[in-house]
Amino acid sequence: MDAQSFLFSVFCFLFYFLSGEPQVVEGTRLSWTSSPFGFKPKMLFAFGDSYADTGNTKIAVTRSWHFPYGITFPGKPSGRFSDGFVSTDFVAGYLGMKTPIPYRWRKELSGRVKYGLNFAYGGTGVFDTLVAEPNMTTQIDFLQQLINDSVYTKRVLRTSVAFVSLAGNDYSYYLETNGSFTAFPGFIQSVVDQLTVNMKRIHDLGVRKIGVMSLIPLGCTPQNTAASSFQRCNETENDLVMLHNNLLLQAVNTLNQQTNSTLFFIIDLHNAFSTVFNGTEIHQGSPTFENPFEPCCFGVTEGFFCGSVDENGEKKYTLCSNPKTKLFWDGNHPTSEGWRAIYSTPAFQNTLKQFID
């Protein structure tokens, strides 16, 4: 099924206002004309970071609640780290359900909790980072507490799936706190080990299937290609990414062997990004990008970022005229059109099928 035709034709938005609070924005449920799948999830839970966050991170600690984020959808900031949709929206769309509401809105939108929740917080990792928001262990604690409070039962959770995003914040924190290069491989192993513990715990709580994203080629993000005027990737960083992904594959295979199942799987974000980086047209009409390493929104000098303003309120970033022409929105996050291109790749589509096999 063509992602462009069935996804964006049915997405719309809903605003919910609280006095003095930002807005929560969600997509509508996608309708299947037929359902050929043996298992159709009724709930989606998201864990992780900014690639999955749809509005959990507090306005005081993130740029995603500030202009120009959200200019494509919903037309103003919604807490998503993009000009519009993020990966969770596309995963939910593929599964034929609404984007799960952010955990922070669970009481205000209690009627939506039965369809799942998004526990992801931008800037976080499996361990603590410089962002003072809940790490993945604490995010899973939130689900555990909801089970303890009888919001969810294990029987109900058998109809659910989990989407786990790890985009590399643990590694950024390691480098920012002067972690040594020689010890980096050992740290990567510890990150994958903790991620494995987290996935098993989600499964033990009753979630039926768990899909975890592979790391993208981080050396090719605008943050890392800016030094070469967005022309060349940092291959040293990409080599470390491959170590992470290889260890993750081993961990997922071990989990499946231990459970005698195929309930754990990798969502192949790495190959999906590589396809788009290489300029491969996925199908007729699928987006391609003239320079996939150059972002739409970027700080004017080092120390400034997309959305930065100085003490006088003057903006300290450049903004492209059309985000649809760019793969990346800012230094690390895809545009809505970028996510659509990634979503459309065979690598992404084929691995998403494991949610419903």
Side-chain angles (χ1 to χ4, degrees):
M1 183 178 293
D2 188 302
Q4 182 178 12
S5 61
F6 88 80
L7 184 61
F8 276 98
S9 62
V10 292
F11 263 119
C12 70
F13 58 86
L14 165 68
F15 294 104
Y16 186 92
F17 291 95
L18 292 175
S19 177
E21 288 290 325
Q23 304 161 12
V24 61
V25 179
E26 56 178 334
T28 59
R29 187 196 310 257
L30 300 174
S31 300
W32 295 102
T33 54
S34 62
S35 182
F37 311 116
F39 170 62
K40 190 170 186 299
K42 295 182 179 178
M43 290 189 293
L44 172 63
F45 296 105
F47 301 89
D49 47 38
S50 55
Y51 274 22
D53 187 2
T54 55
N56 274 317
T57 307
K58 293 187 289 290
I59 191 170
V61 300
T62 181
R63 301 187 305 276
S64 64
W65 283 109
H66 298 276
F67 183 84
Y69 287 81
I71 59 171
T72 300
F73 171 87
K76 59 184 67 178
S78 68
R80 287 167 168 82
F81 289 76
S82 179
D83 64 307
F85 297 111
V86 296
S87 62
T88 308
D89 298 303
F90 286 90
V91 172
Y94 181 85
L95 296 174
M97 59 178 66
K98 290 183 180 181
T99 299
I101 62 169
Y103 171 75
R104 67 178 295 193
W105 299 97
R106 67 196 181 282
K107 294 181 180 179
E108 291 79 9
L109 296 173
S110 58
R112 292 284 294 113
V113 171
K114 63 184 177 182
Y115 301 115
L117 282 170
N118 188 335
F119 297 99
Y121 284 78
T124 65
V126 295
F127 302 125
D128 289 339
T129 64
L130 293 174
V131 176
E133 294 284 17
N135 65 27
M136 196 180 295
T137 296
T138 304
Q139 294 171 25
I140 301 169
D141 288 342
F142 293 155
L143 177 57
Q144 175 72 73
Q145 187 59 52
L146 292 171
I147 294 170
N148 294 345
D149 294 341
S150 300
V151 175
Y152 298 116
T153 65
K154 282 208 170 188
R155 180 179 179 181
V156 167
L157 289 175
R158 291 193 196 107
T159 66
S160 71
V161 294
F163 168 55
V164 180
S165 170
L166 187 74
N169 293 315
D170 292 289
Y171 301 133
S172 297
Y173 179 69
Y174 179 83
L175 294 173
E176 289 167 3
T177 53
N178 299 316
S180 72
F181 187 80
T182 55
F184 213 148
F187 181 69
I188 292 173
Q189 182 69 69
S190 68
V191 168
V192 173
D193 287 346
Q194 183 58 49
L195 182 57
T196 304
V197 170
N198 292 345
M199 289 189 290
K200 187 175 186 305
R201 187 176 170 211
I202 293 168
H203 174 260
D204 290 344
L205 288 175
V207 176
R208 177 165 175 170
K209 288 192 174 185
I210 296 96
V212 59
M213 292 200 310
S214 60
L215 273 185
I216 75 167
L218 293 174
C220 298
T221 62
Q223 177 176 291
N224 288 310
T225 61
S228 64
S229 299
F230 309 111
Q231 297 300 312
R232 293 187 304 276
C233 299
N234 182 329
E235 295 305 334
T236 299
E237 188 156 352
N238 284 344
D239 288 342
L240 293 169
V241 165
M242 291 307 298
L243 175 59
H244 169 99
N245 287 341
N246 288 334
L247 291 173
L248 180 61
L249 177 60
Q250 294 172 24
V252 166
N253 288 339
T254 298
L255 284 172
N256 284 328
Q257 290 170 5
Q258 291 173 346
T259 56
N260 192 28
S261 71
T262 56
L263 300 178
F264 301 90
F265 64 93
I266 293 174
I267 298 172
D268 195 359
L269 204 60
H270 186 276
N271 281 332
F273 264 87
S274 296
T275 298
V276 178
F277 284 151
N278 292 332
T280 305
E281 187 176 36
I282 314 308
H283 50 72
Q284 187 175 3
S286 65
T288 57
F289 307 95
E290 183 176 348
N291 182 355
F293 307 133
E294 185 176 22
C296 176
C297 185
F298 207 68
V300 294
T301 59
E302 187 175 354
F304 292 109
F305 309 94
C306 179
S308 291
V309 295
D310 64 15
E311 60 275 10
N312 298 318
E314 181 181 350
K315 71 175 186 178
K316 292 295 180 179
Y317 59 91
T318 60
L319 184 65
C320 69
S321 59
N322 183 7
K324 287 187 175 183
T325 65
K326 301 294 184 180
L327 170 61
F328 279 100
W329 167 244
D330 60 15
N332 294 292
H333 306 97
T335 59
S336 190
E337 189 75 357
W339 276 120
R340 186 174 75 81
I342 294 156
Y343 171 88
S344 301
T345 62
F348 206 73
Q349 288 279 314
N350 290 338
T351 48
L352 280 181
K353 289 178 181 177
Q354 295 178 75
F355 271 130
I356 47 184
D357 282 347

